[in-house]
Amino acid sequence: MEPTSAPPDPTTAKGGEREGERGGGGGGSSSTTTTSYQHHAPATTTTPPPPPLSRYESQKRRDWNTFLQYLKNHKPPLTLGRCSGAHVIEFLKYLDQFGKTKVHATGCPYFGHPSPPAPCACPLRQAWGSLDALIGRLRAAYEENGGRPESNPFGARAVRIYLREVREGQAKARGIPYEKKKRKRPSAAASGSTSSGGGESTSLPADGGGGGGDSGSSSRVASGSGRTTNVVTSAVASTTV
């Protein structure tokens, strides 16, 4: 005979079901707690990127970094506080080696020629306009980085004189004069309006004085008195008649 298997114990089966229910209940509470924790987690905020710099600001930053690197490589090294107008002029002369403007020497046959027909061996320099704009940017950058306006080496008198000499020298060598733009003076406009107003005010009494021309007097006061005398005389004559 085949051995018969014992029937399952109902108590054990119910106990297993109860344990499964307990395990399931515990799992449900765990998932609820996790969901609640995720719900109360702080949201991460992303800061917007800074706006891009303008072309002028980008160029000013590059120029400032170039000048600081020049001071660092200077022999002996220089600090920004000890920098003077003479060091700024040395920096401008240092930049001439990277220039792209042909400046003819005095002995060159194309000296003063605006459009030379052939190339020559004259050196390339930085154009005056480029140097002038560079000094303007560095002067602003110096004060933006904590420098005092009264001690700004880029605004020194020696730097202004050097730029003027470069402008005049390049104008003669290249045959291209640099003319300043003429600005309208407000005083000239004001004087013009005053003179025109004066003309109007002068013409008004002339019309009033025309009525007194009968008296033949050159003075307006005399002409007025002449009119009064004529009126009184004519009134006396009519009364007598």
Side-chain angles (χ1 to χ4, degrees), residues 50-70 80 91 133-145 154:
L53 296 177
S54 63
R55 182 178 180 181
Y56 171 79
E57 294 295 333
S58 300
Q59 185 64 43
K60 181 172 61 175
R61 178 176 295 183
R62 289 194 297 267
D63 295 337
W64 182 247
N65 292 334
T66 302
F67 181 73
L68 294 181
Q69 187 65 32
Y70 171 79
L80 189 61
F91 174 68
L134 171 65
I135 290 299
R137 291 190 297 267
L138 291 177
R139 184 174 183 176
Y142 177 85
E143 298 179 6
E144 290 175 359
N145 286 273
F154 302 99

Side-chain angles (χ1 to χ4, degrees), residues 55-136:
R55 182 178 180 181
Y56 171 79
E57 294 295 333
S58 300
Q59 185 64 43
K60 181 172 61 175
R61 178 176 295 183
R62 289 194 297 267
D63 295 337
W64 182 247
N65 292 334
T66 302
F67 181 73
L68 294 181
Q69 187 65 32
Y70 171 79
L71 294 181
K72 184 179 180 180
N73 297 337
H74 192 274
K75 295 180 181 180
L78 286 172
T79 59
L80 189 61
R82 298 178 57 187
C83 181
S84 63
H87 298 117
V88 174
I89 295 176
E90 290 180 3
F91 174 68
L92 297 180
K93 293 180 179 180
Y94 160 78
L95 294 178
D96 272 337
Q97 59 182 319
F98 309 106
K100 299 180 181 180
T101 301
K102 177 76 69 173
V103 179
H104 302 288
T106 308
C108 179
Y110 304 131
F111 181 83
H113 201 294
S115 301
C120 61
C122 294
L124 298 176
R125 304 295 186 193
Q126 290 284 347
W128 165 81
S130 301
L131 296 179
D132 186 63
L134 171 65
I135 290 299

